[in-house]
Amino acid sequence: MVSGVTKDAILEILDFIHKAVELINDFEKENMVNTLLEARKEGRRIFIVGAGRSGLVAKAFAMRLLHLGFNVYVIGETILPPMNKGDILVAVSGSGRTKTVVTVAEAAKSLGAKIIALTTYPESPLGKLADVIVRIPGRTKLATEEDYIIRQVIGVHEPLAPLGTLFEATTLIFLDGLVVELMNKLGVSESELREKHANIE
Amino acid sequence: MVSGVTKDAILEILDFIHKAVELINDFEKENMVNTLLEARKEGRRIFIVGAGRSGLVAKAFAMRLLHLGFNVYVIGETILPPMNKGDILVAVSGSGRTKTVVTVAEAAKSLGAKIIALTTYPESPLGKLADVIVRIPGRTKLATEEDYIIRQVIGVHEPLAPLGTLFEATTLIFLDGLVVELMNKLGVSESELREKHANIE
Amino acid sequence: MVSGVTKDAILEILDFIHKAVELINDFEKENMVNTLLEARKEGRRIFIVGAGRSGLVAKAFAMRLLHLGFNVYVIGETILPPMNKGDILVAVSGSGRTKTVVTVAEAAKSLGAKIIALTTYPESPLGKLADVIVRIPGRTKLATEEDYIIRQVIGVHEPLAPLGTLFEATTLIFLDGLVVELMNKLGVSESELREKHANIE
Amino acid sequence: MVSGVTKDAILEILDFIHKAVELINDFEKENMVNTLLEARKEGRRIFIVGAGRSGLVAKAFAMRLLHLGFNVYVIGETILPPMNKGDILVAVSGSGRTKTVVTVAEAAKSLGAKIIALTTYPESPLGKLADVIVRIPGRTKLATEEDYIIRQVIGVHEPLAPLGTLFEATTLIFLDGLVVELMNKLGVSESELREKHANIE
């Protein structure tokens, strides 16, 4: 069994996610699910954007959307079709201030896309652009932010996990849970997911 | 508070990680930590490889190694120097059979690099190439594998989370815990990490 | 006007491409065009693979295939559906020996895909796997190869441009010419291309 | 020998590059070379940015800078250290208006970095931010631009090659020529480049 600081940090992260999930607003989650399902039914494209580790979490979700049969694309990759009115942008940014993410969200807005934002800060530039917000408790990499949400969750002490770790891990697990709900609502089985999984790597 | 299938799946994932972490071998973890720290002291390069969602988890770890002051590179990205004898390859593959990952590990072996493998299957092709293995309980995307480790962890029922989700989430959280141990052993503070964090995205 | 070594090198590269294009086999080019057009008509997927600078050239071609209305994907990127029998793999490797490219080509072969290889060496491992070869004169990054084709093109002296530059530049320009032929044969205008161009970056 | 439209388009592209190179300002090229060499001597980091096919051209240059011994990084990839005062941003954008590129250039400016811009339009937002501009004749993907420079080069007719092809190809070949000048000025041989080339793909 893993011991030492690694174990302490893992338990802290798991405990954080546990409490954080309780703070995620069910209505916001429903809103995200319905927006995605409606977009899928109407044949809309889903675009995914995020920077750094939040971008990796966003890409992990993009892969599952692909397996679920969505038309999904990642901003910054080679295969990127145009965005049209009614398409969806899913943007992940703990601080809601990541410049390239906000720039993409502004462009998406002007093209008539709907923006789903996963962020800790609904009052951030990204949050203000979003049509659907899912507030994910976390702690951002910014030193100057007042990370009230994290204090609400883990109390006053400084967490062991550095920078955006808690936001990123919480967002990954939340989105992995959401995938199961999407499977359920779409009536898609695991073996149907597997049929859409890459087989060439 | 999040409800419904999303909640059930999140709780199952968290519960799985909790139990899985108890199964991770402390000696294997120590071995990985020491191998990384020694490589850093000797100025070795760390190369990271993984495909699909395991690749994203690997990249999330790569970013933290960068913040910790390691010379770290990701196979497949633009900036990729040569690998020399004594360098490290960190390979993430639940099944241990992902073809491109095994190909890279074979090449690394022939160049005299040391391989750290995070995999569920120590007897897999990747596992057999590895100098350091950290066995991560999980369930792979392969239908035909005998996923005994998952049964050991969550019992006989099928998990809600599809395909490799449990392996990927467990590996991410494990590595995030490991990062805290590395910070600790290196005497690196969060604000020193922040100073090495990208500031241009 | 640009002077000095830069100018000399540019003129040499342009001169090389000029002569190299004369050596590209028209039948091989036709074969590639027809294979792509047939795949498009039958709704097949096109997968693209390459490493290093050859990989970048391959991606530049992938973008134009997207603009032309092909179902195209890049190995190693997030959005990667499964490959099916009858799909196409376009592989770019000057030496034809790049390990990860050959590994992907082998996997593609076993899945029943057709392989189009752009390489200098038809007798290489990649060349032997290919269903359609387009031989691109070049000089590979390998020191030990007998680069007869380059000598045929520019004579006995060593070129100024290092490593695989001549292969990569020739392949880019060749594929950009091929795109115009595909536009022509598909009756697609530039403004129709523009409609499929990314608008969000 | 390649025939038909492919051949016509290739010859047109080569002819364009030939004429375009004559229009590239030698002083601007010198300025770029000196800025890069000085940055290397001072141990500065070079960051590379571009979107779409221009981004691929930028990455091809980044690889050669790595082989030449520069500390070079690509915006948007996993391994991205912070940018400091005195570092260099090399930005490639034909139109000079690509939103994410301009956003990154603005951020770089505010961090005290020097910006080298390769663009057709010195009066564009990117051009105005740049410390060093190299004007590359081309034709952008924008319909509404007055592409005077292209008319200057190829006359009044519409080129066969669509969208930004001429800019991208010209920039690639120009930068490949510049690499030879950098090799020359640094006294770096091809075999020294090869020693810094990736060996694991």
Side-chain angles (χ1 to χ4, degrees):
Chain A
M1 175 177 169
V2 165
S3 71
V5 181
T6 294
K7 188 189 177 185
D8 295 345
I10 290 172
L11 293 182
E12 187 197 75
I13 294 169
L14 290 175
D15 189 49
F16 180 88
I17 301 173
H18 222 288
K19 289 173 181 160
V21 168
E22 306 233 332
L23 289 176
I24 296 177
N25 186 301
D26 206 41
F27 173 76
E28 293 176 358
K29 185 262 286 175
E30 287 296 311
N31 208 350
M32 177 169 176
V33 168
N34 293 336
T35 303
L36 288 171
L37 290 177
E38 202 177 329
R40 189 173 181 280
K41 208 159 57 189
E42 291 172 359
R44 306 297 188 192
R45 290 175 179 142
I46 317 289
F47 293 82
I48 304 285
V49 71
R53 285 170 51 106
S54 293
L56 297 172
V57 166
K59 285 177 179 172
F61 184 53
M63 286 188 190
R64 286 290 183 250
L65 289 182
L66 178 75
H67 302 155
L68 284 161
F70 285 82
N71 284 327
V72 57
Y73 300 94
V74 174
I75 308 285
E77 297 209 336
T78 302
I79 302 306
L80 187 62
M83 185 181 278
N84 297 316
K85 193 164 154 24
D87 286 346
I88 306 287
L89 178 73
V90 178
V92 180
S93 168
S95 70
R97 302 171 184 284
T98 314
K99 284 178 222 92
T100 51
V101 174
V102 173
T103 298
V104 166
E106 285 167 350
K109 197 83 186 174
S110 77
L111 291 164
K114 236 182 218 176
I115 299 172
I116 299 175
L118 293 108
T119 181
T120 304
Y121 296 98
E123 297 303 320
S124 64
L126 176 63
K128 284 178 182 160
L129 286 162
D131 298 281
V132 177
I133 293 189
V134 181
R135 282 171 293 164
I136 307 283
R139 184 158 160 276
T140 71
K141 61 178 186 294
L142 304 175
T144 53
E145 290 284 353
E146 194 192 341
D147 287 318
Y148 70 99
I149 294 171
I150 202 175
R151 252 175 273 145
Q152 221 176 316
V153 179
I154 61 166
V156 292
H157 83 87
E158 278 295 292
L160 295 167
L163 306 171
T165 303
L166 295 176
F167 172 78
E168 296 142 13
T170 303
T171 306
L172 180 88
I173 305 289
F174 167 69
L175 290 173
D176 274 344
L178 203 80
V179 164
V180 178
E181 182 158 340
L182 290 169
M183 286 174 71
N184 223 276
K185 293 215 159 126
L186 289 166
V188 172
S189 71
E190 188 185 32
S191 67
E192 288 167 295
L193 281 192
R194 190 178 290 112
E195 277 162 27
K196 299 209 165 150
H197 195 287
N199 57 4
I200 187 72
E201 297 187 321
Chain B
M1 178 178 168
V2 165
S3 71
V5 181
T6 295
K7 189 189 177 186
D8 295 345
I10 291 172
L11 293 182
E12 187 197 74
I13 296 168
L14 291 175
D15 190 49
F16 180 89
I17 301 173
H18 221 287
K19 289 172 181 161
V21 168
E22 306 233 332
L23 289 176
I24 296 177
N25 187 301
D26 206 42
F27 174 76
E28 293 176 357
K29 184 263 286 176
E30 286 295 311
N31 209 351
M32 176 169 177
V33 167
N34 293 336
T35 304
L36 288 171
L37 290 177
E38 203 176 326
R40 189 175 181 279
K41 207 158 59 189
E42 291 172 359
R44 305 296 187 193
R45 290 177 180 140
I46 318 289
F47 293 82
I48 304 284
V49 72
R53 286 170 51 108
S54 292
L56 298 172
V57 166
K59 285 177 179 172
F61 184 54
M63 286 188 191
R64 286 290 183 250
L65 289 181
L66 178 76
H67 302 155
L68 283 161
F70 285 82
N71 283 326
V72 58
Y73 300 95
V74 175
I75 309 284
E77 297 209 337
T78 302
I79 301 307
L80 187 62
M83 184 181 277
N84 297 315
K85 194 164 153 24
D87 286 346
I88 306 285
L89 178 72
V90 178
V92 181
S93 168
S95 69
R97 302 172 183 284
T98 314
K99 286 178 221 94
T100 50
V101 174
V102 173
T103 299
V104 166
E106 285 167 350
K109 197 83 185 174
S110 76
L111 291 164
K114 236 182 220 174
I115 300 172
I116 299 174
L118 294 108
T119 181
T120 303
Y121 296 99
E123 297 304 321
S124 63
L126 176 62
K128 285 177 182 160
L129 287 163
D131 298 280
V132 177
I133 292 190
V134 181
R135 282 171 294 165
I136 306 284
R139 181 156 162 278
T140 70
K141 61 178 183 295
L142 303 176
T144 54
E145 290 284 352
E146 192 192 342
D147 286 318
Y148 71 97
I149 294 171
I150 203 178
R151 251 175 274 146
Q152 220 177 315
V153 178
I154 61 165
V156 291
H157 82 87
E158 278 295 292
L160 295 167
L163 306 171
T165 304
L166 295 176
F167 171 77
E168 296 141 13
T170 302
T171 306
L172 179 88
I173 305 288
F174 168 69
L175 291 173
D176 275 344
L178 204 81
V179 164
V180 178
E181 182 157 340
L182 291 169
M183 286 173 71
N184 222 275
K185 293 213 159 128
L186 290 166
V188 172
S189 70
E190 187 185 33
S191 67
E192 287 168 294
L193 281 193
R194 191 178 289 114
E195 277 162 27
K196 298 207 164 148
H197 195 287
N199 58 4
I200 186 71
E201 297 187 320
Chain C
M1 177 178 168
V2 165
S3 71
V5 182
T6 295
K7 189 190 177 185
D8 295 345
I10 291 172
L11 293 181
E12 188 197 73
I13 295 169
L14 291 175
D15 190 48
F16 180 88
I17 301 173
H18 221 287
K19 289 171 179 160
V21 168
E22 305 232 332
L23 290 175
I24 295 177
N25 187 302
D26 206 42
F27 174 76
E28 293 176 359
K29 184 263 286 176
E30 286 297 311
N31 209 349
M32 176 169 176
V33 167
N34 293 336
T35 303
L36 287 172
L37 290 177
E38 203 176 327
R40 189 175 181 279
K41 209 159 57 189
E42 291 172 359
R44 305 297 187 193
R45 290 175 180 143
I46 318 289
F47 293 83
I48 304 284
V49 71
R53 286 171 50 107
S54 292
L56 297 173
V57 166
K59 285 177 179 171
F61 184 54
M63 285 188 192
R64 285 289 184 252
L65 289 181
L66 178 75
H67 303 155
L68 283 161
F70 286 82
N71 284 327
V72 58
Y73 301 94
V74 174
I75 309 284
E77 297 209 337
T78 302
I79 301 306
L80 187 62
M83 184 181 277
N84 297 316
K85 194 162 154 24
D87 286 346
I88 306 286
L89 178 73
V90 178
V92 181
S93 168
S95 69
R97 300 172 185 284
T98 314
K99 284 177 223 94
T100 49
V101 174
V102 173
T103 299
V104 166
E106 284 167 350
K109 197 82 185 174
S110 76
L111 291 164
K114 236 183 218 174
I115 299 172
I116 300 174
L118 294 108
T119 180
T120 303
Y121 296 98
E123 298 303 320
S124 63
L126 176 63
K128 284 177 182 160
L129 287 163
D131 299 280
V132 176
I133 293 191
V134 181
R135 281 171 295 164
I136 306 285
R139 181 157 164 277
T140 70
K141 62 178 184 294
L142 304 175
T144 54
E145 291 284 352
E146 193 191 341
D147 287 318
Y148 72 98
I149 294 171
I150 202 175
R151 250 176 273 146
Q152 219 177 316
V153 179
I154 61 167
V156 292
H157 82 87
E158 278 294 291
L160 295 167
L163 306 172
T165 304
L166 295 176
F167 171 78
E168 296 141 13
T170 303
T171 306
L172 180 88
I173 305 288
F174 167 69
L175 290 173
D176 275 344
L178 203 82
V179 164
V180 178
E181 183 159 339
L182 290 169
M183 285 173 72
N184 223 275
K185 293 213 160 129
L186 290 166
V188 172
S189 71
E190 188 185 33
S191 67
E192 287 167 295
L193 282 192
R194 189 178 290 113
E195 277 162 28
K196 298 207 164 148
H197 195 287
N199 58 4
I200 186 73
E201 297 186 322
Chain D
M1 177 178 169
V2 165
S3 71
V5 181
T6 295
K7 189 189 178 186
D8 295 345
I10 291 172
L11 294 181
E12 186 197 75
I13 295 169
L14 291 174
D15 190 48
F16 180 88
I17 301 174
H18 222 287
K19 289 173 181 160
V21 168
E22 306 233 332
L23 290 176
I24 296 176
N25 188 301
D26 206 42
F27 174 76
E28 293 176 358
K29 184 263 287 175
E30 286 297 312
N31 209 350
M32 177 170 176
V33 168
N34 293 335
T35 303
L36 288 171
L37 290 176
E38 203 176 325
R40 189 175 181 279
K41 207 159 60 190
E42 292 172 358
R44 305 298 189 193
R45 291 176 180 141
I46 317 288
F47 293 83
I48 304 285
V49 72
R53 286 170 52 106
S54 292
L56 298 172
V57 166
K59 285 178 179 173
F61 184 54
M63 286 188 191
R64 285 292 183 250
L65 290 181
L66 179 75
H67 303 155
L68 284 160
F70 285 82
N71 285 326
V72 58
Y73 300 94
V74 174
I75 308 285
E77 297 208 338
T78 302
I79 302 306
L80 187 62
M83 184 180 278
N84 297 315
K85 195 165 152 26
D87 287 345
I88 306 286
L89 178 73
V90 178
V92 181
S93 168
S95 69
R97 302 171 184 283
T98 314
K99 283 177 223 94
T100 50
V101 174
V102 173
T103 299
V104 166
E106 285 167 349
K109 197 82 185 174
S110 76
L111 291 163
K114 237 183 218 174
I115 299 171
I116 299 175
L118 293 108
T119 181
T120 304
Y121 296 98
E123 299 303 321
S124 63
L126 176 63
K128 285 178 183 160
L129 286 163
D131 298 280
V132 177
I133 292 190
V134 181
R135 282 171 293 165
I136 307 284
R139 182 156 162 278
T140 69
K141 61 177 185 295
L142 304 176
T144 53
E145 291 283 352
E146 193 191 341
D147 287 318
Y148 70 99
I149 294 172
I150 203 177
R151 252 175 271 145
Q152 220 176 317
V153 179
I154 61 167
V156 291
H157 82 87
E158 278 295 291
L160 294 167
L163 307 171
T165 303
L166 295 176
F167 172 78
E168 296 142 12
T170 302
T171 306
L172 179 88
I173 306 289
F174 168 70
L175 291 173
D176 275 343
L178 203 82
V179 164
V180 178
E181 182 158 340
L182 290 169
M183 286 173 72
N184 223 276
K185 294 214 159 126
L186 290 166
V188 172
S189 71
E190 188 185 30
S191 67
E192 288 168 294
L193 281 193
R194 190 178 290 113
E195 278 162 27
K196 298 208 164 150
H197 195 286
N199 57 4
I200 187 72
E201 297 187 322

